[in-house]
Amino acid sequence: MGEEVKAMIPESLLKKNKRNEEWELAKKQELEAAKKKKVENRKLIFTRAKQYAKEYEAQEKELIQLKREAKLKGGFYVDPEAKLLFIIRIRGINAMHPRTRKILQLLRLRQIFNGVFLKVNKATMNMLHLVEPYVTFGYPNLKSVRELIYKRGYGKLNKQRVGLTDNAIVEQALGKFGIICVEDLIHEIMTVGPHFKEANNFLWPFKLKAPLRGLKKKRNHYVEGGDAGNRENYINELIRRMN
């Protein structure tokens, strides 16, 4: 009678406990790895942001220097041809030709006051020429690109419209192209880099507000005192009013 009766633990319970311990350990290791990666990413993002700031500053200084040199020689400095366009749709669908509607769909301008970035090339310019009465476009500067992405930027993740609230969202979609933060995204768009297409497709079309103080006459071309067509660098002033 002095023998102790050992409590029998079912084998299934032992297996379950072992499995739970393994899962807990794996989860802990995963969290530690993620934490380590996040710290490394933050350092990398900071160095990249500093590098981009230096690059933009150097470009600005070079431009000023070239303008001064041209002025000293009694000439004019002609800016290099722009590589980036920003297009805003300014008219609705009334009395629109089906071909025009299709081109606006291809440009992702499905609603009034939608805006998108585009690379300047012959095909783009031909398409814009066909839809000129319905859109206004020009060459955005760094300030405009940055303000648009930070204030009204949304990304496409699993076919869903997601706000750019975290660098992790950008990394998840564009990490394989070396774009891991919003500053990388701005740089890729601004410089029209090798992965411009992927970065631009990730950005959801910008939904801008109606311009402050309104439009002048959207049926007329910009050069005629209206709003439609190419307004070159003056697009930046319109972006300020619509952002």
Side-chain angles (χ1 to χ4, degrees):
M1 293 297 287
E3 286 178 18
E4 289 179 14
V5 180
K6 287 183 179 177
M8 291 291 288
I9 300 169
E11 195 180 338
S12 60
L13 191 65
L14 286 168
K15 280 181 179 176
K16 188 185 175 186
N17 290 344
K18 191 185 177 186
R19 191 169 64 237
N20 286 349
E21 280 170 18
E22 283 172 4
W23 282 353
E24 212 171 299
L25 184 69
K27 199 177 179 183
K28 196 179 177 184
Q29 285 172 347
E30 207 177 294
L31 282 167
E32 281 174 5
K35 200 176 178 182
K36 196 179 177 186
K37 193 188 175 199
K38 202 174 181 181
V39 170
E40 284 171 9
N41 268 8
R42 281 178 73 179
K43 284 178 184 173
L44 181 63
I45 287 163
F46 183 71
T47 37
R48 279 194 188 179
K50 274 177 79 176
Q51 184 189 320
Y52 295 148
K54 277 183 185 174
E55 190 184 316
Y56 299 140
E57 202 178 334
Q59 282 174 357
E60 215 170 295
K61 281 180 179 174
E62 190 186 0
L63 186 68
I64 292 164
Q65 186 64 32
L66 289 166
K67 280 182 179 177
R68 280 177 182 166
E69 282 174 14
K71 199 176 180 183
L72 283 169
K73 288 171 186 173
F76 293 98
Y77 174 73
V78 179
D79 288 323
E81 203 173 310
K83 294 186 283 182
L84 181 69
L85 278 172
F86 187 69
I87 299 98
I88 302 167
R89 180 170 173 173
I90 56 168
R91 278 174 69 183
I93 57 164
N94 284 1
M96 189 188 283
H97 192 278
R99 184 180 64 177
T100 309
R101 188 187 290 120
K102 186 66 186 169
I103 292 168
L104 288 170
Q105 281 176 9
L106 289 171
L107 294 172
R108 302 190 298 161
L109 298 170
R110 290 172 178 269
Q111 294 173 316
I112 193 167
F113 300 141
N114 268 13
V116 289
F117 291 112
L118 276 184
K119 189 193 283 190
V120 178
N121 56 34
K122 195 172 185 291
T124 301
M125 296 316 288
N126 287 345
M127 282 169 83
L128 286 175
H129 183 67
L130 292 167
V131 295
E132 213 166 25
Y134 295 87
V135 297
T136 184
F137 55 95
Y139 314 127
N141 57 23
L142 176 64
K143 189 173 189 283
S144 297
V145 174
R146 182 173 272 143
E147 282 179 1
L148 280 166
I149 291 174
Y150 271 116
K151 188 175 177 182
R152 295 195 181 262
Y154 281 82
K156 194 191 324 181
L157 206 59
N158 304 325
K159 297 181 181 178
Q160 299 289 312
R161 185 172 183 255
V162 183
L164 301 180
T165 51
D166 192 357
N167 286 326
I169 295 163
V170 179
E171 189 180 3
Q172 196 179 330
L174 302 167
K176 54 182 176 285
F177 305 114
I179 300 166
I180 59 165
C181 64
V182 178
E183 279 300 325
D184 283 347
L185 183 63
I186 292 166
H187 184 261
E188 194 69 22
I189 294 289
M190 190 63 213
T191 57
V192 188
H195 299 295
F196 173 82
K197 187 184 173 184
E198 291 85 358
N200 197 30
N201 284 343
F202 164 71
L203 281 173
W204 201 276
F206 295 93
K207 295 186 177 189
L208 304 170
K209 67 179 183 185
L212 201 68
R213 299 187 301 280
L215 295 168
K216 292 173 195 170
K217 196 174 183 185
K218 51 171 133 177
R219 285 185 175 274
N220 285 11
H221 196 283
Y222 186 71
V223 294
E224 297 166 345
D227 288 294
N230 190 356
R231 52 175 73 206
E232 297 184 357
N233 294 324
Y234 293 103
I235 192 77
N236 296 300
E237 181 267 333
L238 184 64
I239 291 169
R240 301 282 176 283
R241 291 197 284 133
M242 295 181 79
N243 198 1

